[in-house]
Amino acid sequence: MSESDNRDPSVIRQLAVTTDDVLAALEARDRGRREAVLRITPPFSGRMRARIHVAGTEGAYEYDGDAEPVHVEPRAFLPDGFPRFPGTGADGWRSAARESLQEQIEVDSSDGPLTVRVRYLG
């Protein structure tokens, strides 16, 4: 892979993310507490890891290229119309969310939308 390729998010084919990170980001967003996202940080390759992150708190990156990280909205991991985090019954919601996590998601990147397979950890 050339150096320019590792700045291009379109090379991503598979994403690994912990189930707990997805659920925590969903809960934070639905409660309106924080703009939590799942962040994919360059350099990019076919298999990447996404970690929970608060949008807007970027700071400096170890990667010295000009590629920007990709932020994945936590709702991308659930089917359309999945209910928001409830005020009560949170345990049932979490169980239903875990069972509803999608095997493929669409990610919005600076180069346009891309579809990736997801492997859930934990």
Side-chain angles (χ1 to χ4, degrees):
M1 177 183 327
S2 73
E3 184 177 321
S4 63
D5 290 342
N6 62 14
R7 297 178 188 171
D8 179 6
S10 69
V11 301
I12 302 169
R13 297 289 175 249
Q14 184 175 15
L15 191 61
V17 62
T18 67
T19 304
D20 287 344
D21 276 0
V22 173
L23 295 179
L26 282 162
E27 186 174 337
R29 293 294 291 256
D30 285 357
R31 288 182 173 202
R33 291 184 178 168
R34 295 191 165 189
E35 291 297 312
V37 295
L38 288 299
R39 183 175 72 173
I40 308 167
T41 305
F44 300 116
S45 65
R47 293 182 182 181
M48 293 295 299
R49 175 82 188 262
R51 291 183 169 82
I52 192 168
H53 176 75
V54 177
T57 60
E58 299 308 308
Y61 295 108
E62 292 179 24
Y63 181 63
D64 61 0
D66 58 4
E68 292 292 324
V70 174
H71 288 176
V72 182
E73 294 294 325
R75 285 261 156 208
F77 295 92
L78 292 173
D80 290 342
F82 191 86
R84 291 174 54 85
F85 183 81
T88 59
D91 288 340
W93 179 90
R94 287 184 188 105
S95 292
R98 280 180 190 276
E99 292 172 13
S100 299
L101 293 172
Q102 304 293 290
E103 293 180 16
Q104 279 193 331
I105 65 168
E106 188 170 283
V107 175
D108 290 326
S109 75
S110 58
D111 294 337
L114 40 121
T115 302
V116 298
R117 288 179 293 132
V118 182
R119 193 176 113 223
Y120 295 97
L121 310 172

